[in-house]
Amino acid sequence: MKCYLIVFVLFWQLIISSASQCMCSCDSARMDEVGRAGWRFLHTLAANYPEQPHFHQKFAWYGVYETVATFYPCENCREHLWDNIMRHGLHVQNRTDLNMYLCWLHNDVNKEQGKELFPCSMDTLLNKYGFVNSTISKRRYLD
């Protein structure tokens, strides 16, 4: 777990030292499909995030952000995400905080691409991405 934090801090420092603008021009049918699937996956995880998360649940989201911002196949999109993280931080305090942040990030991408903005209300997000009576996994660690 400490290793993830160290890697995150190192990446954070690397990104602080370089600024870039997003053109979000990864415009292929395959990237569109990856983008839609990625957003659905992130919104679904967020909709099922607890309203009062424990530290380890919050920390897991740092890994999610770092993974996407490191390995997402579109370089412009990765840089756009890192830029937003650097300017606005990470929001994982509770279900509402995380969902509103992800919706804002998604709409920021939509705006850059000239797409329609999604209504960022908890009711809309939970109805579209949430699952009734979903449970959160017990605390586990990978060594």
Side-chain angles (χ1 to χ4, degrees), residues 33-68:
E33 182 181 341
V34 168
R36 282 190 302 276
W39 282 118
R40 178 174 274 306
F41 178 68
L42 291 173
H43 285 302
T44 300
L45 293 179
N48 294 287
Y49 189 64
E51 194 54 53
Q52 296 180 354
H54 296 281
F55 172 79
H56 71 277
Q57 293 166 325
K58 293 177 184 180
F59 189 74
W61 268 95
Y62 283 80
V64 171
Y65 287 122
E66 181 183 352
T67 299
V68 173

Side-chain angles (χ1 to χ4, degrees), residues 95-107:
R95 178 183 296 148
T96 302
D97 186 43
L98 177 58
N99 277 275
M100 292 298 104
Y101 183 62
L102 280 177
C103 194
W104 178 84
L105 285 174
H106 195 168
N107 277 336

Side-chain angles (χ1 to χ4, degrees), residues 75-98:
E75 181 179 2
N76 293 332
C77 301
R78 287 192 313 263
E79 291 301 317
H80 188 206
L81 176 58
W82 273 120
D83 184 49
N84 276 319
I85 289 171
M86 296 308 299
R87 285 189 287 139
H88 306 289
L90 298 175
H91 295 257
V92 296
Q93 287 305 105
N94 55 51
R95 178 183 296 148
T96 302
D97 186 43
L98 177 58

